[in-house]
């Protein structure tokens, strides 16, 4: 493990959405974690648990309701001055979950990918700009020919790769990758994951890798956080989480990983977990150390019961 | 019991006009679908899975050109069995008679099929009211029930949400609820669970299976997730560069694959024991579909390619009544060969796992 300063530090982050007078969604409800330079942090959890919201709050598409976010030594949770904002813009990038909704349909692929380097003037000539775009297209497995097409003229997986190219071309220190490979077929998935690893080796960037595919998360992550209903219920190194899951939600998640083996899969039964029937109250729990860096959210009694 | 065919695709060939030329997306596809059965279409990104599905629904993009082929769909029209060629029908007739009511599709990108200005409740009830004249109150109750079936908690509050107020996976489930609202005969799911975590994914797949069993509907899954395929499919069609390269029962494709592309596909999926530093990828990249492809499109990436592959596209060779593969390796004149050792080992491992599981 690295002993240096974390690149990103999230402390007690809350993000609420007010739908109307009577109804407020507490999408993220007091979440803390850290990401170190050059590491990959896997964030997993059920649909609607707040993963995308965490990503969007960190990159400041939302104003956090409460909590503190420190990035590269700067406090980015409140109002930011111009230099801070610009540094954030260059050094943190997000790959969005819904590719079609995040790509401007009226812009050609070339303009989309070059957007960040255009705004921040990261090249010295049009030829260099072109070269950077073409190189990026090739790296994500697209054709240089594709530069002149519009987003709707691509298949789902190709579109996703445009989003990846747009983020990686900036050479950021932190990439928030929200389900960035889930729309890709296995072969391209592997290609993109290998590419992300290569870029990490070269530039030492860190990833916040949001995904629901646990086999891929296990493969790529150094550390993992398990999110449920806006609470981080368990965190630890990849080995700690996969070899010794403690929280019942984590256990049910691991039991549900589909195996690509039809005869087994067709008779498989899953472990189920229903928070509302479990008698567990996340608000009452506190972080308990299981050993090493392994933490679980529990009350003292729950902790006792789960670890015995 | 005799199988009842509901969809028959023959010799389908589709191109797109683009700024840089004509792109040949689908190059001669035959496909059959029977009532109550589940077919999975798998294949590399860009191989033509979504375009094939859209052709089946008669909703091709405006720059599409149908070069040849037919899509015959058989359905029950007020007690009388009727067969139509979707490709020859008028768009307005398809919309009135077929889509929603008889064929429903869950699209790959949920945001593109949701209307951002309308609450999700309205979007689910709309088609029930339009096709079946269901009273508003009743449609709303059904919408709430559907939302809770797809695992959305507090559905009575959620029906008032707009799409942007939902998480990615919730949107995907809303699209599934819309597709199921009208009890279709054929449900086409294009990557229906990519944004869902494994527990909800399992639940949705169970739900679709359940409805399929009760109403005897047919389902087409387009997915790259071989875990999903393993769970739901009776038959698998493998696509590469706009063609079917192998088709068979689920067991035939997983335990006795014959096409080198299928081998690559199976090798590329990580099992949880993957400890290698790098994941396996099929070397090379798919062909440029703007240019004519002489011979077998997969040849340049195929370490088992024969000379003939560069000249002549292989036909479908028959292995069993249900299993076909398009590779010259199956020709009687081809040299004898074994499947790659890694893939043989993997299949052996799957079989062992299974026996282990039985104890
Ligand atoms: N409207 C369009 N105009 C031009 N090209 C198109 C259009 N729609 C699709 N294509 C091209 O047709 C090919 C097949 O696309 P399709 O969407 O069927 O792929 P797919 O197999 O569904 O891939 P994925 O797994 O990535 O979704 C791709 O090369 C794509 O770029
Ligand atoms: N802009 C918004 N307005 C209102 N509610 C929102 C908004 N964005 C998210 N939410 C709500 O916050 C909760 C968390 O959503 P989020 O998108 O973070 O989930 P997620 O973990 O990314 O799920 P998924 O895996 O399905 O993408 C959900 O209940 C969602 O409805
Ligand atoms: Mg999300
Ligand atoms: Mg597709």
């Amino acid at each position: 493990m690295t002993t240096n300063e974390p690149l990103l530090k999230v402390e007690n982050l809350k993000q609420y959405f007010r739908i109307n007078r009577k109804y407020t969604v507490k999408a993220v409800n007091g979440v803390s974690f850290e990401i170190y330079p050059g590491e990959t942090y896997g964030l997993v959890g059920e649909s609607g648990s707040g993963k995308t919201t965490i990503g969007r709050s960190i990159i400041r598409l939302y104003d956090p309701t409460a909590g503190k976010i420190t990035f590269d030594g700067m406090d980015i949770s409140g109002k930011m001055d111009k230099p801070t904002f610009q540094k954030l813009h260059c050094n943190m990038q997000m790959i969005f979950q819904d590719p079609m909704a995040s790509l401007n349909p009226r812009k050609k692929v070339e303009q989309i990918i070059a957007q960040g380097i255009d705004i921040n003037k990261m090249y010295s000539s049009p030829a260099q700009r072109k070269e950077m775009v073409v190189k990026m297209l090739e790296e994500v497995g697209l054709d240089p020919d594709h530069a002149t097409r519009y987003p709707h003229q691509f298949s789902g997986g190709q579109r996703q790769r445009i989003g990846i190219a747009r983020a990686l071309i900036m050479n950021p220190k932190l990439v928030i990758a929200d389900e960035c490979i889930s729309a890709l077929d296995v072969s391209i998935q592997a290609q993109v994951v290998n590419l992300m690893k290569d870029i990490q080796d070269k530039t030492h960037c860190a990833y916040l890798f949001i995904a629901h595919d646990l086999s891929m998360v296990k493969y790529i992550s150094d550390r993992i956080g398990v999110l449920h209903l806006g609470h981080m219920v368990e965190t630890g190194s990849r080995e700690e989480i996969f070899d010794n899951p403690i929280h019942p939600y984590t256990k049910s998640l691991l039991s549900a990983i589909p195996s690509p083996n039809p005869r087994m899969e067709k008779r498989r039964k899953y472990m189920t977990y229903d928070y509302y029937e479990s008698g567990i109250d996340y608000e009452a729990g506190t972080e308990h150390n299981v050993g090493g860096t392994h933490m679980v959210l529990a009350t003292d009694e729950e902790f006792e019961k789960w670890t015995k | 019991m005799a199988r009842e065919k509901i969809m028959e695709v023959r010799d389908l060939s589709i191109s797109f006009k683009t700024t840089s030329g004509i792109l040949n997306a689908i190059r001669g596809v035959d496909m059959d679908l029977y009532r109550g059965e589940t077919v999975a279409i798998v294949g590399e990104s860009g191989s033509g899975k979504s375009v094939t599905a859209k052709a089946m629904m008669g909703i091709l993009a405006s720059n599409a050109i149908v070069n040849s082929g037919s899509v015959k769909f058989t359905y029950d029209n007020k007690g009388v069995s009727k067969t139509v060629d979707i490709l020859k029908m008028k768009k307005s007739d398809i919309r009135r008679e077929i889509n929603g009511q008889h064929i429903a599709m869950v699209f790959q990108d949920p945001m593109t099929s949701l209307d951002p200005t309308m609450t999700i409740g309205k979007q689910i009830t709309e088609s029930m009211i339009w096709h079946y004249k269901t009273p508003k109150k009743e449609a709303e109750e059904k919408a709430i029930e559907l939302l809770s079936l797809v695992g959305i908690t507090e559905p009575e509050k959620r029906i008032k949400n707009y799409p942007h107020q939902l998480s990615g996976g919730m949107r995907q489930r809303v699209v599934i609820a819309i597709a199921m609202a009208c009890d279709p005969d054929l449900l086409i799911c294009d990557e229906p669970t990519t944004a869902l975590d494994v527990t909800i994914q399992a639940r949705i797949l169970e739900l679709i299976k359940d409805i399929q069993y009760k109403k005897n509907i047919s389902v087409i899954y387009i997915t790259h997730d071989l875990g999903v395929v393993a769970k739901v499919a009776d038959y698998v069609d493998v696509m590469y560069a706009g063609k079917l390269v192998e088709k068979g029962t689920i067991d035939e494709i997983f335990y006795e694959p014959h096409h080198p592309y299928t081998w690559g596909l199976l090798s590329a999926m990580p099992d949880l024991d993957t400890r290698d530093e790098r994941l396996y990828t099929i070397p090379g990249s798919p062909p440029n579909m703007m240019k004519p492809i002489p011979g077998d499109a997969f040849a340049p990436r195929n370490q088992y390619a024969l000379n003939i592959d560069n000249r002549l596209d292989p036909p479908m060779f028959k292995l069993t009544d249900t299993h076909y593969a398009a590779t010259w390796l199956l020709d009687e004149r081809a040299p004898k060969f074994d499947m790659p050792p890694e893939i043989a080992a993997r299949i052996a491992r799957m079989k062992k796992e299974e026996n282990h599981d039985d104890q």
Side-chain angles (χ1 to χ4, degrees):
Chain A
M1 251 321 281
T2 33
T3 47
N4 50 356
E5 281 293 295
L7 174 66
L8 177 82
K9 191 166 175 163
V10 176
E11 295 163 90
N12 204 18
L13 176 70
K14 294 187 178 170
Q15 188 76 60
Y16 296 171
F17 297 105
R18 191 160 172 253
I19 307 286
N20 55 38
R21 228 166 358 97
K22 283 180 289 184
Y23 186 34
T24 295
V25 177
K26 297 184 175 173
V28 179
N29 207 353
V31 160
S32 308
F33 64 101
E34 290 166 358
I35 301 180
Y36 288 87
E39 80 164 344
T40 300
Y41 192 94
L43 187 59
V44 301
E46 146 177 290
S47 171
S49 58
K51 304 181 296 295
T52 299
T53 305
I54 290 180
R56 295 177 72 106
S57 306
I58 293 172
I59 203 164
R60 289 302 310 276
L61 288 167
Y62 299 138
D63 289 325
T65 310
K68 189 171 172 199
I69 308 169
T70 317
F71 175 64
D72 211 7
M74 316 177 289
D75 182 347
I76 57 163
S77 35
K79 265 216 154 58
M80 287 178 282
D81 55 18
K82 213 162 167 210
T84 309
F85 181 79
Q86 205 159 28
K87 242 181 108 187
L88 175 66
H89 193 88
C90 284
N91 290 328
M92 195 195 286
Q93 286 290 318
M94 182 154 176
I95 303 167
F96 293 92
Q97 180 169 11
D98 212 327
M100 202 49 193
S102 67
L103 302 175
N104 186 334
R106 279 180 295 276
K107 289 234 156 79
K108 289 189 178 156
V109 166
E110 177 188 343
Q111 291 166 293
I112 292 174
I113 294 179
Q115 190 187 17
I117 58 171
D118 283 345
I119 295 174
N120 297 290
K121 314 228 165 30
M122 289 164 68
Y123 47 83
S124 48
S125 66
Q128 195 195 354
R129 174 180 184 268
K130 175 113 203 240
E131 192 188 315
M132 286 169 82
V133 171
V134 166
K135 184 161 159 273
M136 212 56 238
L137 279 171
E138 282 171 349
E139 286 203 11
V140 296
L142 293 172
D143 213 272
D145 266 7
H146 288 148
T148 57
R149 281 208 237 156
Y150 293 93
H152 74 267
Q153 298 182 324
F154 287 89
S155 78
Q158 290 165 336
R159 241 177 251 155
Q160 193 101 14
R161 280 177 276 168
I162 298 170
I164 295 170
R166 174 177 67 175
L168 293 185
I169 199 169
M170 298 286 288
N171 253 330
K173 287 187 182 163
L174 175 66
V175 178
I176 301 170
D178 191 0
E179 305 277 8
C180 74
I181 53 165
S182 41
L184 307 178
D185 66 275
V186 271
S187 167
I188 308 271
Q189 253 183 19
Q191 198 178 317
V192 169
V193 166
N194 288 339
L195 164 76
M196 288 175 70
K197 280 201 159 178
D198 288 346
I199 290 185
Q200 192 168 49
D201 286 345
K202 249 190 282 169
T203 68
H204 208 59
C205 64
Y207 295 122
L208 174 60
F209 190 82
I210 301 176
H212 62 271
D213 178 349
L214 287 164
S215 46
M216 211 44 108
V217 168
K218 180 175 184 190
Y219 177 74
I220 196 172
S221 310
D222 301 305
R223 290 187 306 131
I224 291 168
V226 182
L227 196 69
H228 194 226
L229 300 175
H231 293 269
M232 199 70 108
V233 296
E234 189 161 356
T235 59
S237 70
R238 134 173 84 179
E239 290 74 21
E240 287 164 343
I241 298 289
F242 275 88
D243 299 344
N244 183 27
I246 301 292
H247 199 280
Y249 176 66
T250 313
K251 286 186 172 168
S252 80
L253 207 57
L254 296 187
S255 84
I257 301 172
S259 106
N261 185 345
R263 287 182 203 158
M264 249 176 92
E265 199 49 48
K266 291 218 159 107
R267 327 181 220 127
R268 189 62 177 280
K269 283 282 164 274
Y270 300 100
M271 222 184 263
T272 56
Y273 169 67
D274 186 335
Y275 173 70
Y276 301 96
E277 283 164 15
S278 67
I280 301 173
D281 178 5
Y282 290 159
E283 305 272 356
T286 54
E287 279 204 327
H288 284 67
N289 187 292
V290 184
T293 60
H294 193 172
M295 306 291 263
V296 62
L297 181 74
T299 61
D300 294 345
E301 300 84 68
E302 283 160 2
F303 186 70
E304 183 112 334
K305 198 168 99 200
W306 296 341
T307 49
K308 94 174 166 252
Chain B
M1 207 173 72
R3 295 160 84 200
E4 179 190 344
K5 196 185 270 186
I6 71 163
M7 176 82 84
E8 180 184 279
V9 177
R10 286 292 173 271
D11 191 31
L12 184 66
S13 162
I14 295 169
S15 302
F16 289 103
K17 274 192 236 135
T18 77
T19 44
S20 31
I22 299 281
L23 183 148
N24 302 308
I26 308 292
R27 307 181 303 131
V29 163
D30 292 346
M31 226 178 251
D32 293 303
L33 188 66
Y34 294 84
R35 183 171 302 284
E37 297 184 350
T38 303
V39 173
I41 307 179
V42 300
E44 196 151 41
S45 181
S47 59
K49 306 180 297 291
S50 298
V51 172
T52 303
K54 286 179 186 163
M56 289 176 176
M57 275 202 91
I59 49 166
L60 287 165
S62 56
N63 62 333
I65 312 161
V66 177
N67 304 312
S68 71
S70 61
V71 175
K72 298 236 167 82
F73 176 60
T74 305
Y75 65 102
D76 179 284
N77 187 29
K78 299 182 188 89
V80 195
S81 166
K82 185 171 170 185
T83 300
V84 292
D85 184 347
I86 303 273
L87 294 179
K88 298 213 166 63
M89 280 178 86
K90 276 214 298 271
K91 282 230 150 109
S92 55
D93 291 342
I94 296 179
R95 221 173 303 133
R96 202 183 52 240
E97 276 207 32
I98 308 284
N99 287 356
Q101 226 180 118
H102 294 289
I103 307 180
M105 182 157 171
V106 175
F107 290 91
Q108 187 166 12
D109 211 329
M111 260 332 232
T112 54
S113 53
L114 291 174
D115 181 341
T117 65
M118 217 195 267
T119 64
I120 59 163
K122 193 128 197 261
Q123 299 189 52
I124 300 173
T125 53
E126 203 185 25
S127 63
M128 288 186 251
I129 295 171
W130 150 264
H131 284 301
Y132 295 119
K133 319 246 169 335
T134 313
K136 187 154 172 270
K137 187 102 204 314
E138 197 185 315
E140 231 158 57
E141 276 159 19
K142 186 158 179 202
I144 291 174
E145 189 200 324
L146 279 166
L147 283 178
S148 98
L149 279 175
V150 294
I152 290 186
T153 46
E154 304 188 284
E156 41 318 295
K157 284 181 186 161
R158 290 292 187 183
I159 55 168
K160 297 196 197 87
N161 277 176
Y162 290 89
H164 79 271
Q165 295 176 320
L166 301 179
S167 79
M170 289 172 174
R171 281 177 211 149
Q172 203 162 30
R173 285 178 278 160
V174 168
V175 176
I176 292 171
I178 294 174
M180 308 235 248
C182 281
D183 297 324
D185 304 308
L186 168 59
L187 181 62
I188 304 176
C189 300
D190 193 353
E191 306 283 5
T193 58
T194 42
L196 301 179
D197 60 281
V198 281
T199 44
I200 295 194
Q201 174 182 81
R203 172 170 187 165
I204 299 280
L205 297 178
E206 291 291 337
L207 173 70
I208 295 177
K209 252 192 188 170
D210 221 45
I211 294 183
Q212 181 171 26
Y213 180 75
K214 274 190 209 132
K215 309 227 158 116
N216 202 23
I217 66 175
S218 312
V219 182
I220 297 178
Y221 279 101
I222 298 176
T223 176
H224 61 263
D225 188 334
L226 294 171
V228 171
V229 177
K231 191 171 170 60
V232 299
D234 303 314
Y235 296 89
V236 183
D237 289 342
V238 184
M239 281 189 86
Y240 185 79
K243 284 199 163 170
L244 283 192
V245 294
E246 183 159 6
K247 61 199 272 182
T249 64
I250 175 92
D251 280 13
E252 285 165 341
I253 298 295
F254 274 77
Y255 302 122
E256 282 153 57
H258 272 79
H259 196 284
Y261 174 66
T262 314
W263 295 339
L265 202 61
L266 292 173
S267 312
M269 70 197 165
D271 42 17
L272 273 179
D273 303 324
T274 306
R275 284 266 178 255
D276 322 342
E277 254 319 289
R278 292 181 74 75
L279 295 170
Y280 173 82
T281 61
I282 301 171
S285 47
N288 184 338
M289 317 269 281
M290 305 267 209
K291 303 207 172 96
I293 301 173
D296 181 353
F298 190 58
R301 305 171 72 184
N302 179 2
Q303 61 178 115
Y304 302 89
L306 307 170
N307 279 332
I308 186 167
D309 279 312
N310 299 317
R311 285 183 285 115
L312 213 59
D313 208 8
M316 276 283 193
F317 288 93
K318 181 171 174 177
L319 290 150
T320 71
D321 279 347
T322 46
H323 192 183
Y324 295 80
T327 164
W328 285 117
L329 292 176
L330 291 172
D331 191 89
E332 54 193 12
R333 289 159 292 179
K336 286 288 148 262
F337 65 95
D338 289 317
M339 67 167 73
E342 316 84 68
I343 182 83
R346 191 174 193 126
I347 292 170
R349 205 157 64 229
M350 290 201 289
K351 289 193 170 150
K352 203 166 120 218
E353 232 174 37
E354 184 202 346
N355 295 336
H356 183 76
D357 190 53
D358 277 337
Q359 284 155 16

